[in-house]
Amino acid sequence: MALTEERAIIGALSPSRAGDFMTCPLLYRFRVIDQLPERPSAAAVRGTLVHAVLERLYDLPAEARTVAAAQELLEPQWRRLLEEEPEYAGLFADDDEREGWLTQARGMVDRYFTLEDPRRLEPAEREMYVEAVLDSGLLLRGYIDRLDVAPTGEVRVVDYKTGSAPGPEFEAKALFQMKFYALALWRLHGNVPRMLQLMYLGNGEIIRYVPDEADLRATERKVQALWEAIERSLRSREWRARRSRLCDWCDHQALCPEFGGTPPPVPAREPGLSSRRSSHRAASDEL
């Protein structure tokens, strides 16, 4: 899904990079401005593998979308990922650790079938790239795992998560990504999606949310405010570190003031947009 009109673009933002800035402005800088390399994590790669299996499950005829068929897809998809990213082979200390990791992935695939019956679904889109421009010129973009369209035209946005569902205090943060996608779809087509659905394959829970225009207008204001904060950091060249529990998984502690590190000088490069669509699912967000 691409833009149907051209207008001046002031920047681009995805839910992931918006989440980075909300979590820690310095993390956003390291990923978007510095573009520092990060080691792939076993959990993230497992998520990529499970997503690939569920995407390709719907290539099969409806009656063939069984648990056994999905499990048969797992090994070929893992081999494909290894061919594309040979460094993934170094994620595991030995064969036993790799097999344990694959067993967890198999369990998530099995758990998906406890949440819905894929034989009764015909998604309109899978791994759908979407982008939309707000009136301000800010480009919103990202990949939607699945889009379901009812015969009546109602739209459901579905996202698979390979972790466990968050507690009530973190549910709003989890839904921000979905509202972001709903905002982009609304701005593209003028219709508010009927349902936003997060499927947590780690513990077999589903979070559903019914948005309305007021929700999406509030999301638009939040996204715009985030971009304005990013622009202030660009002008001042100050990117504040914000410590949280997520720091335990950050690759950049050695450069972070919160851990006694010193960030490198801010790169002297002009904010700009590269190609709007990348061939890789985890494309970085350019300013």
Side-chain angles (χ1 to χ4, degrees):
M1 186 175 295
L3 294 171
T4 56
E5 62 182 69
E6 293 294 329
R7 67 180 73 174
I9 306 297
I10 63 171
L13 201 59
S14 76
S16 296
R17 299 294 80 82
D20 287 344
F21 190 83
M22 289 188 289
T23 297
C24 174
L26 185 59
L27 174 62
Y28 177 95
R29 182 206 135 171
F30 285 158
R31 285 180 167 169
V32 179
I33 308 298
D34 298 79
Q35 298 182 1
L36 298 180
E38 295 182 346
R39 296 164 301 182
S41 72
V45 176
R46 185 173 54 228
T48 300
L49 174 59
V50 172
H51 275 75
V53 169
L54 295 182
E55 179 187 2
R56 285 157 181 79
L57 178 66
Y58 284 96
D59 289 335
L60 301 175
E63 66 276 7
R65 297 172 197 156
T66 63
V67 175
Q71 293 292 353
E72 288 175 3
L73 289 169
L74 199 140
E75 286 284 353
Q77 289 306 311
W78 173 228
R79 289 195 297 271
R80 179 185 63 81
L81 289 177
L82 281 175
E83 289 174 3
E84 294 176 357
E85 302 288 347
E87 64 184 304
Y88 289 169
L91 289 171
F92 314 106
D94 51 38
D95 290 348
D96 287 343
E97 184 176 328
R98 184 185 64 247
E99 284 306 310
W101 179 86
L102 285 169
T103 296
Q104 289 178 317
R106 293 186 187 100
M108 291 174 181
V109 171
D110 281 348
R111 198 167 292 119
Y112 167 72
F113 284 81
T114 70
L115 300 178
E116 64 183 4
D117 185 350
R119 295 172 299 181
R120 303 181 63 181
L121 297 168
E122 290 297 340
E125 300 283 353
R126 288 168 283 149
E127 288 291 312
M128 181 180 73
Y129 179 75
V130 62
E131 58 181 23
V133 181
L134 303 182
D135 290 341
S136 66
L138 179 61
L139 174 70
L140 308 185
R141 62 182 173 192
Y143 286 86
I144 296 173
D145 287 345
R146 199 179 87 207
L147 199 73
D148 299 336
V149 180
T152 55
E154 294 178 317
V155 171
R156 177 171 64 181
V157 182
V158 178
D159 195 73
Y160 307 122
K161 298 295 186 187
T162 49
S164 296
E169 67 274 22
F170 296 107
E171 192 170 298
K173 185 176 181 180
L175 282 169
F176 170 75
Q177 173 189 7
M178 304 301 283
K179 291 181 181 180
F180 188 107
Y181 291 141
L183 170 61
L185 291 170
W186 180 44
R187 287 306 184 200
L188 275 172
H189 302 299
N191 297 316
V192 176
R194 177 69 179 84
M195 175 75 70
L196 309 179
Q197 181 168 298
L198 284 159
M199 305 183 71
Y200 287 91
L201 306 180
N203 63 348
E205 293 187 23
I206 295 178
I207 294 177
R208 295 184 177 92
Y209 186 81
V210 178
D212 57 26
E213 285 196 13
D215 278 325
L216 301 189
R217 292 186 190 281
T219 300
E220 184 168 1
R221 290 192 296 271
K222 181 173 183 176
V223 169
Q224 190 62 46
L226 277 171
W227 182 252
E228 290 168 2
I230 290 170
E231 287 187 316
R232 287 194 294 272
S233 291
L234 282 167
R235 290 192 296 269
S236 68
R237 301 174 73 82
E238 294 180 3
W239 303 86
R240 184 167 60 88
R242 182 179 297 137
R243 193 162 187 154
S244 73
R245 286 182 293 178
L246 297 177
C247 294
D248 292 343
W249 291 275
C250 183
D251 277 354
H252 310 300
Q253 287 187 12
L255 300 174
C256 179
E258 289 293 317
F259 294 87
T262 301
V266 180
R269 75 178 184 92
E270 290 295 321
L273 283 165
S274 66
S275 175
R276 285 178 181 166
R277 182 168 186 169
S278 167
S279 62
H280 294 288
R281 173 68 159 80
S284 63
D285 301 73
E286 293 79 21
L287 292 172

